[in-house]
Amino acid sequence: MSNPGSPIPGRFSGLSNKLIATIIGVIFLVEIVVYLPSLANFRATWLEDRLRVGVVAARVLDAVPDVMSLPRSLTDRLLTSAGADAIVYRREGQSQLIELAEPVTPERVTTADMRQRDLATQIAGAIDTLFAGRGRTLRIVGEGDLDESLIEILMPEAPLRQEMLEYSRNIGLVSLGIAAITAFALYMLASRLFIDPVLRLADNMLAFRKAPENATLILQPSQRRDEIGIVERELADMERDLASMLRQRRHLADLGLAVAKINHDLRNTLTAAQLLSDQVATLDDPKVQRLAPRLVTTLDKAIGFAQSVLDYGREAAAPPQFVPTEIRPLLDDAAFEARLVGHPAVVFVNEVPDGIVLDVDAGQMARVFVNLFKNAREALESDPRPNRPGAEVTATARQDDDAFILAVSDNGPGLPPRARAHLFEAFEGSARAGGTGLGLAIAREITEAHGGMLRFVETEEGTQFEVALPHRPTA
């Protein structure tokens, strides 16, 4: 998890650095792709210039009947102007050679055949010349200006390599300038369109995280219609919802604390009143004897309501402690706690087979079934039907795909429409007058904490709830 106090990277750090480096890298990659053909073309042009000088020298040779009669100073000037050690002119099966007064004996010779014009050969020759080092002699071969004529020039490779290095340096400087200017221009554009909005979002998220209930920190989205605009609007909506929810939770927490204190004091007061009513109930006054049971019942309901609210407020959010638990005894104990076992008018039938073991928190899951059994018992006890069948609460189990389902059903009058409309809602889903509706709300929370689901099942008679647990039986 990121540190809420972590600073936001500046304009030239974080995404900015990555963007600039990416732009410069892409530009240099493009320059390299363009550089190699350009360098090969430079080398080919340089060699062509030397061949043209050789052609001029060849024409001089053609104009002189006897090459041997040419003054040595003239031949040396021809070779010097071409930068060559020797020139060979071949035409019609004859060869003519002019060379310096002091012939040069080359140690290493490489050939540049200008009759091969394909790009791959030219690029390979340029790379070879650039990395060959010093001391090589270059043999340039090309066609003359007459049909079936051939010119060969022997010259040091060093001048060509030196000019190619200078050309590469110039290309590098130009490329660096172009990369810098292009990167700056693209960065400014990207900064305005992307980086600044992202920094604004990051600043807002960090500020809002420190004070999420401060409505002034909610992001004010721009009018952009692209993806960043969508993120801005969604973030603003989320911050508004979160701020509202946190304010509501704070109010509810304050209200809950106040209610808990009130209920605690009220429960103590009601307990004292219950003790007093028990004493009053022992009086021989007929009017007291007639009213005392109602008073006791009313006080019992008030104490139960206060206790339910306190229990719900104290409900811990501790995760379940899963241990292998045998289900049938757990249901028997829950039925006993719900006062089903030994009930004079309601029969409890446990149809869950012996030996079924699930990984559950036994204490929490028992509370789920205590609530379900208690609701079923109270529904059967208040059944107003004159010809009702024998009151019965049944627990069954079945395997359904990846879930193990435990069902609690009764043959009572069923849930009223108002209770069905607000099932599992605290203080709303009670099926009887004076109820809190906390039982089903607590049962649902516990079941969901187990990764399962508590659901109401429509039946023709009575009421049925199913607890679907994702754990398969282990035995």
Side-chain angles (χ1 to χ4, degrees):
M1 181 179 294
S2 63
N3 186 352
S6 300
I8 295 295
R11 179 176 294 275
F12 294 100
S13 60
L15 288 177
S16 303
N17 279 343
K18 295 178 182 178
L19 178 62
I20 294 175
T22 301
I23 292 174
I24 294 177
V26 170
I27 292 175
F28 271 111
L29 181 61
V30 173
E31 289 291 340
I32 290 174
V33 173
V34 175
Y35 163 73
L36 292 177
S38 177
L39 182 65
N41 182 66
F42 175 82
R43 176 177 178 271
T45 302
W46 194 92
L47 296 176
E48 290 287 353
D49 290 341
R50 297 305 178 272
L51 283 178
R52 280 193 290 271
V53 175
V55 170
V56 173
R59 287 182 178 179
V60 173
L61 295 177
D62 282 340
V64 178
D66 185 7
V67 177
M68 299 302 296
S69 63
L70 285 174
R72 172 58 61 181
S73 60
L74 177 60
T75 58
D76 286 349
R77 283 198 299 272
L78 287 174
L79 293 172
T80 302
S81 63
D85 296 331
I87 297 177
V88 180
Y89 178 60
R90 293 187 176 92
R91 180 168 65 87
E92 296 179 355
Q94 298 181 353
S95 298
Q96 294 178 336
L97 169 66
I98 57 175
E99 57 182 349
L100 294 174
E102 297 181 1
V104 177
T105 301
E107 296 180 358
R108 294 185 300 158
V109 179
T110 182
T111 300
D113 193 343
M114 300 308 296
R115 294 170 295 180
Q116 298 180 1
R117 299 288 184 174
D118 60 287
L119 182 60
T121 301
Q122 293 183 6
I123 291 177
I127 295 175
D128 178 66
T129 300
L130 196 63
F131 295 99
R134 301 178 180 180
R136 286 202 319 186
T137 298
L138 184 61
R139 174 173 171 260
I140 309 172
V141 180
E143 297 177 352
D145 58 342
L146 301 177
D147 294 338
E148 299 181 359
S149 61
L150 193 66
I151 297 293
E152 295 184 17
I153 300 177
L154 289 177
M155 60 175 296
E157 192 181 32
L160 172 60
R161 182 174 180 273
Q162 183 62 35
E163 293 193 25
M164 289 176 63
L165 289 173
E166 293 180 359
Y167 176 81
S168 300
R169 184 179 66 252
N170 294 335
I171 287 292
L173 293 176
V174 172
S175 300
L176 182 61
I178 293 175
I181 295 174
T182 305
F184 178 77
L186 290 177
Y187 170 77
M188 295 304 297
L189 178 63
S191 178
R192 181 176 179 83
L193 293 178
F194 306 111
I195 296 179
D196 287 348
V198 170
L199 288 175
R200 177 171 173 256
L201 291 171
D203 287 334
N204 175 264
M205 285 188 287
L206 285 181
F208 184 81
R209 182 179 180 179
K210 294 178 181 179
E213 297 182 15
N214 187 352
T216 61
L217 297 178
I218 296 176
L219 180 71
Q220 297 299 322
S222 63
Q223 301 299 319
R224 297 177 61 147
R225 299 297 178 184
D226 55 8
E227 289 81 357
I228 291 182
I230 295 175
V231 171
E232 290 178 344
R233 289 187 289 275
E234 292 298 324
L235 179 60
D237 292 342
M238 182 186 69
E239 289 178 346
R240 278 192 291 269
D241 294 342
L242 183 59
S244 176
M245 181 184 68
L246 289 176
R247 286 195 298 271
Q248 183 180 13
R249 289 187 62 181
R250 185 187 63 191
H251 295 166
L252 290 176
D254 295 341
L255 180 61
L257 180 61
V259 170
K261 292 180 179 179
I262 294 172
N263 271 280
H264 183 272
D265 295 338
L266 179 62
R267 181 174 178 273
N268 292 335
T269 302
L270 291 174
T271 301
Q274 186 181 34
L275 294 176
L276 181 60
S277 66
D278 291 340
Q279 295 178 3
V280 171
T282 59
L283 298 178
D284 295 332
D285 191 331
K287 183 179 295 186
V288 172
Q289 293 293 327
R290 186 175 69 253
L291 297 177
R294 294 184 181 180
L295 177 61
V296 172
T297 301
T298 302
L299 289 174
D300 286 342
K301 289 182 179 180
I303 293 173
F305 180 85
Q307 185 62 44
S308 298
V309 174
L310 288 174
D311 291 342
Y312 184 75
R314 288 196 302 263
E315 181 66 19
Q321 301 297 319
F322 295 99
V323 295
T325 303
E326 192 170 356
I327 298 301
R328 182 179 176 87
L330 183 145
L331 295 178
D332 288 336
D333 293 341
F336 179 82
E337 187 175 348
R339 292 187 295 173
L340 274 179
V341 178
H343 195 283
V346 180
V347 177
F348 172 66
V349 180
N350 189 351
E351 296 183 357
V352 176
D354 291 325
I356 295 180
V357 178
L358 299 178
D359 288 331
V360 296
D361 187 312
Q364 293 187 13
M365 194 53 58
R367 188 173 182 184
V368 172
F369 289 103
V370 168
N371 284 322
L372 296 178
F373 289 151
K374 181 180 177 182
N375 290 342
R377 174 181 60 78
E378 291 176 348
L380 292 171
E381 288 174 344
S382 61
D383 190 351
R385 294 175 297 175
N387 298 323
R388 63 181 184 179
E392 185 176 288
V393 178
T394 305
T396 59
R398 74 176 190 274
Q399 182 77 25
D400 184 9
D401 296 333
D402 295 332
F404 196 85
I405 299 175
L406 300 172
V408 175
S409 58
D410 63 66
N411 57 354
L415 288 178
R418 186 187 68 84
R420 295 189 184 189
H422 300 281
L423 269 180
F424 311 117
E425 295 182 17
F427 306 105
E428 295 288 341
S430 177
R432 60 185 177 85
T436 63
L438 293 176
L440 288 179
I442 294 174
R444 181 193 61 178
E445 290 182 0
I446 294 175
T447 305
E448 291 178 350
H450 280 70
M453 179 184 299
L454 175 62
R455 54 180 178 247
F456 169 72
V457 180
E458 293 283 354
T459 57
E460 295 182 357
E461 181 185 21
T463 306
Q464 179 174 331
F465 286 91
E466 289 184 348
V467 177
L469 298 173
H471 309 286
R472 294 183 180 275
T474 58

